[in-house]
Amino acid sequence: MNLALLKPVVIRWEMYKFGHNTVRFKKDIYYRVDAMDIQTKTLILRDSLGNKQDLELNTYKDRTVFQSETRELRCREQMKFTRNHYHNQKKQINGQQFTVLGFKTNGQIEIKTKGKTQTVHSDALLYSDYRYVDTVHSSQGKTANYCIYAAGSGKSLTVGKESFYVAASRAKQEFKVYTASTKALGLSIEKSRGQENALNLIMKQKLDRQLSTTSTREQEFKLLVSAKYLVESQEVLNPDNFHIKNYKSADGTEIKRDKNSLSITYQGKQLVFNRDNSTVRNTFTVTEIDRQIQARNNEMQQHLNQNRTQTHSRTIGR
């Protein structure tokens, strides 16, 4: 957005709702942003009747901003509310289901929820979404003819004996499971996670990520040590730039070092360190890093053994 513009800039995707009634704004009305005057930091708001009001951004701060999006509805559409909310003195509960019955000529929508039929304005469905997908937790007590269970990698801490049973028992006729690893999923659903809560799972995931990052960094540093030794002890100077040292192993791994960096390249994958030995880029997998460490350590050991043999021969020769 160019801040030098003097004319109003159109911003059609935002809507405002105010927390309490004032002389200029009503709390039960949603106001769409028509434009913004950057110089005066003022929004031009319009309500559903077309009435416009100016809003200075540093005033009326008891407000909520929404991003407008298009959502298609049809008769018999299965929906759910996504937040605990009062609308026109009627409480909507997070997860509460409703069905779209039809549409009135005045734009209102007829829905059925908790066995009762209601006619509501589209604003009443602000906190709602399609009911195509549910979490295992929110699907408890519900049934369907066909269910699909997305288990991801199968290693998630939220997957266990209890959650899998709940998911599998939702289906009346057919239950399908999609996972990246049937082996990992099988191990996960053997474990009981009934005594674990969400906060513990989140903390454990954070700790696992930190340990994984530390472990990866340690492996990268091990490879850096052997790569530095090889490129320094058996380097071939680059004829085009004598500041660059090259080393190429029998398996095709190429190590390059200049005054600012060291890079290890193998089959298009690359690990790059800066002059402070910090990792700048790494496209190797953990398994590939382990293989590189083993191969480079073997080469380094062979070179050390060769140097000892040569030194011993010279000593005897004297």
Side-chain angles (χ1 to χ4, degrees):
M1 187 179 292
N2 187 351
L3 297 181
L5 289 175
L6 299 180
K7 61 182 181 180
V9 179
V10 176
I11 307 176
R12 298 188 182 279
W13 56 88
E14 287 187 350
M15 296 185 70
Y16 276 70
K17 186 175 187 297
F18 295 90
H20 60 275
N21 291 322
T22 64
V23 175
R24 297 174 60 190
F25 302 106
K26 304 299 180 184
K27 68 176 184 178
D28 294 327
I29 296 178
Y30 293 87
Y31 297 85
R32 183 180 298 275
V33 177
D34 267 1
M36 179 175 71
D37 190 322
I38 297 176
Q39 279 195 328
T40 61
K41 297 182 179 180
T42 301
L43 297 178
I44 301 174
L45 304 183
R46 174 174 52 85
D47 62 22
S48 57
L49 300 176
N51 301 316
K52 293 185 178 182
Q53 290 279 6
D54 293 345
L55 171 67
E56 295 181 5
L57 292 177
N58 61 347
T59 62
Y60 298 97
K61 294 184 179 180
D62 182 13
R63 63 192 184 224
T64 306
V65 184
F66 300 91
Q67 185 173 1
S68 179
E69 62 181 35
T70 301
R71 181 159 295 165
E72 295 183 1
L73 298 180
R74 59 181 179 178
C75 291
R76 312 306 303 173
E77 191 80 72
Q78 301 296 309
M79 305 283 291
K80 63 182 178 181
F81 293 113
T82 58
R83 178 174 168 179
N84 293 335
H85 178 62
Y86 276 95
H87 186 82
N88 291 339
Q89 298 182 346
K90 293 181 180 178
K91 186 175 182 180
Q92 300 171 355
I93 302 173
N94 185 19
Q96 178 183 336
Q97 302 176 16
F98 65 92
T99 303
V100 177
L101 299 181
F103 307 92
K104 303 292 185 179
T105 55
N106 60 0
Q108 292 192 316
I109 304 170
E110 189 175 26
I111 66 172
K112 186 174 183 179
T113 180
K114 292 186 174 182
K116 297 181 179 180
T117 300
Q118 301 178 15
T119 300
V120 299
H121 192 271
S122 58
D123 290 347
L125 307 184
L126 183 66
Y127 302 109
S128 68
D129 202 353
Y130 299 114
R131 196 160 54 87
Y132 301 140
V133 180
D134 275 327
T135 62
V136 173
H137 178 75
S138 63
S139 67
Q140 294 184 77
K142 305 173 187 175
T143 57
N145 290 330
Y146 305 93
C147 289
I148 297 174
Y149 178 49
S153 65
K155 299 179 182 179
S156 172
L157 296 177
T158 60
V159 177
K161 182 188 297 184
E162 295 82 5
S163 64
F164 186 80
Y165 173 78
V166 172
S169 58
R170 299 310 92 197
K172 294 180 180 179
Q173 298 182 24
E174 185 176 71
F175 179 66
K176 288 187 177 182
V177 179
Y178 289 86
T179 180
S181 173
T182 54
K183 183 178 179 180
L185 178 60
L187 293 173
S188 294
I189 63 178
E190 289 179 356
K191 300 176 183 177
S192 173
R193 301 191 185 277
Q195 302 302 316
E196 297 179 351
N197 59 51
L199 182 59
N200 290 339
L201 295 178
I202 293 172
M203 296 301 294
K204 188 175 186 305
Q205 283 181 329
K206 287 183 177 179
L207 180 60
D208 288 344
R209 288 195 197 102
Q210 291 173 353
L211 293 175
S212 175
T213 301
T214 303
S215 176
T216 301
R217 176 56 187 154
E218 289 175 352
Q219 294 300 89
E220 290 172 350
F221 189 75
K222 288 179 182 179
L223 181 55
L224 172 63
V225 171
S226 56
K228 270 188 176 182
Y229 174 85
L230 292 170
V231 78
E232 290 293 340
S233 61
Q234 303 189 68
E235 88 280 358
V236 176
L237 293 176
N238 189 324
D240 298 325
N241 188 341
F242 292 108
H243 297 291
I244 298 178
K245 298 177 180 180
N246 291 342
Y247 170 80
K248 192 164 186 178
S249 66
D251 65 3
T253 298
E254 187 174 7
I255 303 172
K256 289 185 180 181
R257 186 180 187 189
D258 58 28
K259 64 178 182 179
N260 293 318
S261 65
L262 182 146
S263 65
I264 304 166
T265 306
Y266 177 71
Q267 294 185 350
K269 301 293 183 66
Q270 193 174 52
L271 175 59
V272 182
F273 300 91
N274 62 18
R275 64 189 302 169
D276 298 321
N277 298 331
S278 299
T279 305
V280 177
R281 184 167 182 258
N282 182 14
T283 58
F284 285 98
T285 64
V286 175
T287 303
E288 290 168 341
I289 288 284
D290 290 339
R291 289 174 182 168
Q292 282 288 325
I293 292 172
Q294 185 176 1
R296 303 295 77 79
N297 282 348
N298 289 340
E299 289 178 356
M300 183 172 65
Q301 193 61 50
Q302 289 172 5
H303 184 260
L304 289 171
N305 292 339
Q306 184 180 0
N307 282 348
R308 291 193 192 100
T309 302
Q310 291 174 350
T311 302
H312 182 64
S313 297
R314 286 196 293 272
T315 303
I316 295 175
R318 293 195 187 99

